[in-house]
């Protein structure tokens, strides 16, 4: 708990982009490192094996995990940067102030509310909201059911239930993948890379077979 708390209060977030026109019909949510960017400012997604310039009318919302930003970024790419910048007592005070009420309701919920994952989800939600426009029709998420992804999906559905949300499950499942249980803020559809995963989701995780599509992996080509 203390290790996670330290990670929470040392995390700092910032956003960087040249995005001026927010009226995109499609959005892709993924992760990025500096070496994912080309010299021309485009981004190559390692999970989908496509370049950002190949997807027209698409906004790329990327959680950026490196300290040094790319020298050039295309104007359809938004970077939400996560950094560890040392202990920040103001962040610590603000976090406890916002979560203090949960201490009297459920100690486990309190621990969850001060966690690194919850802190990231809250901050991404604040940043993500500025891209909620009526033109948006479809959102693709490289999906791991992380809390920040759940929060983004919940926010999208609250904004416009007609936006189609697709989750791309790009990696083999862990031994107990309970985080993929179907819930109100799950994607409308998911893409998996094998019939065994599809059957597992249907039989044990409450997914309808109509919501699951089996496709060859875009990440692992050989």
């Amino acid at each position: 708990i203390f290790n996670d708390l330290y990670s929470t209060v040392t995390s700092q977030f910032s956003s960087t982009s040249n995005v001026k026109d927010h009226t995109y019909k499609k959005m892709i949510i993924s992760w990025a490192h500096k070496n994912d960017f080309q010299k021309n400012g485009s981004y190559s997604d390692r999970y989908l094996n496509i370049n950002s310039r190949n997807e027209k009318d698409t906004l790329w919302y990327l959680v950026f995990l490196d300290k040094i930003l790319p020298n050039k970024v295309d104007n359809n790419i938004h970077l939400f940067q996560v950094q560890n910048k040392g202990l920040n007592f103001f962040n610590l005070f603000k976090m406890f102030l916002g979560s203090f009420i949960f201490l009297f309701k459920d100690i486990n919920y309190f621990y969850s509310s001060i966690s690194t994952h919850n802190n990231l989800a809250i901050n991404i939600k604040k940043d993500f909201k500025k891209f909620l426009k009526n033109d948006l029709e479809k959102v693709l998420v490289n999906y791991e059911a992380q809390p920040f992804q759940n929060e983004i999906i919940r926010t999208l559905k609250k904004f416009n239930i007609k936006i189609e949300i697709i989750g791309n499950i790009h990696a083999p499942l862990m031994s107990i993948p309970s985080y993929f249980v179907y819930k109100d803020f799950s994607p409308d559809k998911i893409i998996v890379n094998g019939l065994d995963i599809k059957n597992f989701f249907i039989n044990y995780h409450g997914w309808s077979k109509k919501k699951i599509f089996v496709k060859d992996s875009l990440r692992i080509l050989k």
Side-chain angles (χ1 to χ4, degrees):
I1 292 169
F2 277 107
N3 284 338
D4 190 56
L5 180 59
Y6 179 78
S7 179
T8 302
V9 299
T10 56
S11 296
Q12 291 195 28
F13 310 103
S14 59
S15 57
T16 304
S17 71
N18 296 322
V19 178
K20 295 178 181 178
D21 179 11
H22 291 186
T23 57
Y24 289 91
K25 291 185 178 180
K26 296 183 290 183
M27 183 186 297
I28 296 177
I29 300 170
S30 191
W31 293 268
H33 295 269
K34 187 180 179 182
N35 60 8
D36 294 325
F37 286 84
Q38 310 302 312
K39 290 182 179 179
N40 62 7
S42 66
Y43 159 78
S44 295
D45 188 274
R46 64 183 68 190
Y47 307 100
L48 302 171
N49 265 302
I50 56 173
N51 184 273
S52 57
R53 292 193 178 183
N54 294 336
E55 286 295 313
K56 297 180 180 179
D57 198 22
T58 299
L59 172 66
W60 292 78
Y61 188 95
L62 305 175
V63 179
F64 189 76
L65 301 174
D66 282 338
K67 292 182 179 180
I68 301 175
L69 292 167
N71 295 324
K72 189 176 182 181
V73 178
D74 277 354
N75 59 10
N76 66 329
I77 298 173
H78 178 83
L79 303 179
F80 183 88
Q81 190 175 20
V82 182
Q83 294 186 76
N84 186 318
K85 288 195 171 182
L87 191 60
N88 186 316
F89 287 102
F90 176 73
N91 284 351
L92 180 65
F93 175 76
K94 187 169 68 170
M95 182 187 61
F96 269 103
L97 192 65
S99 305
F100 189 69
I101 189 172
F102 302 128
L103 189 59
F104 300 99
K105 293 185 177 182
D106 187 324
I107 188 65
N108 292 312
Y109 195 86
F110 173 74
Y111 289 150
S112 175
S113 70
I114 64 174
S115 72
T116 305
H117 287 295
N118 190 57
N119 188 41
L120 177 63
I122 290 170
N123 282 277
I124 285 184
K125 177 182 177 181
K126 291 177 184 176
D127 183 67
F128 182 79
K129 278 185 171 182
K130 60 191 173 193
F131 297 107
L132 297 179
K133 303 294 179 182
N134 292 327
D135 302 75
L136 189 59
E137 297 175 359
K138 185 177 293 187
V139 176
L140 175 67
V141 186
N142 283 321
Y143 187 60
E144 296 180 356
Q146 291 199 32
F148 85 86
Q149 295 177 332
N150 296 337
E151 196 60 40
I152 283 176
I153 294 170
R154 184 188 283 114
T155 301
L156 283 166
K157 289 189 174 186
K158 201 171 183 180
F159 174 74
N160 185 354
I161 196 66
K162 293 182 179 180
I163 296 174
E164 184 180 29
I165 305 169
I166 303 168
N168 174 44
I169 298 178
H170 54 81
L173 301 185
M174 296 178 70
S175 57
I176 307 177
S178 58
Y179 42 87
F180 281 130
V181 166
Y182 185 78
K183 38 199 173 286
D184 290 341
F185 43 88
S186 291
D188 301 313
K189 300 174 182 176
I190 55 171
I191 298 169
V192 300
N193 303 140
L195 284 171
D196 52 346
I197 299 178
K198 178 179 179 178
N199 292 332
F200 180 81
F201 274 48
I202 292 169
N203 295 327
Y204 300 104
H205 276 31
W207 285 82
S208 163
K209 62 182 179 180
K210 294 180 180 179
K211 293 179 178 289
I212 306 176
F213 297 84
V214 180
K215 305 284 185 183
D216 290 340
S217 174
L218 295 170
R219 181 180 183 181
I220 304 169
L221 301 180
K222 295 184 180 180

